[in-house]
Amino acid sequence: MKGIFIVLDGLDGAGLSTQARLLEKWLRKKGKKVLLTKEPTFGMIGGLIKSVLKREWKTDQKALQLLFSADRAHHLQKEIIPALERGYVVICDRYILSTYCFGVIDRVDLNWLRSINSKFLKPEITIILDVPPQVSLERVEKSRFSLELFEEIKKLKKVRRNYHKLKNEFPNTFVVDGTKSIHEVHAEIKNIIEKFISKK
Ligand code: ADP
Ligand code: MG
């Protein structure tokens, strides 16, 4: 395929949306065609997933993971692959790595997650924005009960550990320190992408 498939991943509040937008703008300035997209998607299956995440309805963890896979299959077929075929740089905010890192803390088997994602296109380059759970939570929201916060931090610590453990799951994965300034993080990402494009 003519395009480039880039994934940004990490904890909430790591700066994924901010950096995805800056990367999009920079690539456009360089004359590239860019598709900025995210998972879960804004489509119908993505909506179901979001309603589970917002606790509007409950479902089995495995059912949730199958929804993520269904959303991904649809997303790939309808948006990502057609764009790559037309030479677009696709920036996807969260992808399979999120499934693994968040899924396993809900006691879903990693190998099962790998198998239900095995047919999907692999990203060519993955950038993990790494921030401690405290920073993640501070950036996402500031007012919560301390107990809830403590539970949340414990959970996010596990997710962050998973990002480090699974960072070699896909080729060309880079970990960027997301606690640096927005400008510094953007500069590092540009550097990584520039090197990658020049080698391609
Ligand atoms: P995500 O999409 O990863 O959840 P956002 O990009 O939406 O995160 O950023 C969450 C909040 O943190 C926003 O208010 C954003 O302006 C701020 N933020 C993002 N990156 C940084 C950074 N490097 N330093 C300080 N604040 C940041
Ligand atoms: Mg975001």
Side-chain angles (χ1 to χ4, degrees):
M1 277 184 279
K2 289 190 291 172
I4 308 174
F5 186 18
I6 303 172
V7 167
L8 297 186
D9 222 312
L11 299 183
D12 278 327
L16 303 177
S17 301
T18 306
Q19 294 300 331
R21 276 194 304 270
L22 289 172
L23 181 59
E24 176 195 25
K25 210 168 131 195
W26 174 68
L27 287 167
R28 285 234 165 94
K29 257 196 203 146
K30 283 168 71 81
K32 308 267 184 209
K33 294 179 288 186
V34 186
L35 171 71
L36 175 54
T37 186
K38 68 185 293 177
E39 290 190 359
T41 67
F42 292 100
M44 292 185 51
I45 310 171
L48 281 174
I49 295 169
K50 285 174 205 173
S51 70
V52 176
L53 301 180
K54 282 188 278 181
R55 297 187 184 141
E56 288 163 359
W57 67 283
K58 266 194 186 170
T59 188
D60 173 70
Q61 283 301 333
K62 287 200 271 319
L64 175 64
Q65 293 305 332
L66 290 168
L67 286 175
F68 270 110
S69 284
D71 190 40
R72 187 160 295 138
H74 188 84
H75 192 200
L76 280 163
Q77 193 219 347
K78 296 286 179 191
E79 290 183 66
I80 297 176
I81 291 173
L84 290 171
E85 283 171 345
R86 284 159 58 213
Y88 276 69
V89 179
V90 175
I91 306 169
C92 191
D93 180 335
R94 296 190 175 286
Y95 194 59
I96 302 174
L97 197 57
S98 278
T99 291
Y100 294 171
C101 293
F102 286 88
V104 297
I105 65 158
D106 290 323
R107 297 199 190 87
V108 184
D109 178 61
L110 179 59
N111 281 328
W112 181 71
L113 291 174
R114 285 188 177 118
S115 77
I116 61 171
N117 284 277
S118 62
K119 302 292 178 203
F120 298 145
L121 185 67
K122 306 278 178 289
E124 287 173 83
I125 185 158
T126 300
I127 296 175
I128 299 169
L129 297 183
D130 181 46
V131 295
Q134 289 85 343
V135 173
S136 155
L137 286 176
E138 268 163 33
R139 287 188 191 164
V140 173
E141 53 181 312
K142 283 166 185 158
S143 56
R144 279 220 224 173
F145 295 117
S146 54
L147 181 65
E148 206 184 322
L149 207 70
F150 180 70
E151 283 306 313
E152 195 66 19
I153 283 185
K154 270 205 323 207
K155 191 172 137 181
L156 291 175
K157 270 187 186 158
K158 289 185 192 156
V159 181
R160 188 190 188 200
R161 221 178 293 140
N162 290 336
Y163 275 109
H164 286 280
K165 249 193 246 169
L166 296 169
K167 67 176 178 237
N168 295 320
E169 191 80 17
F170 301 107
N172 298 312
T173 297
F174 300 84
V175 179
V176 171
D177 180 359
T179 63
K180 292 186 180 171
S181 73
I182 290 175
H183 180 78
E184 284 171 311
V185 176
H186 178 51
E188 274 194 43
I189 293 176
K190 280 193 294 192
N191 209 349
I192 291 167
I193 302 295
E194 210 146 47
K195 273 194 199 136
F196 182 82
I197 292 177
S198 71
K199 274 196 221 141
K200 210 184 154 163

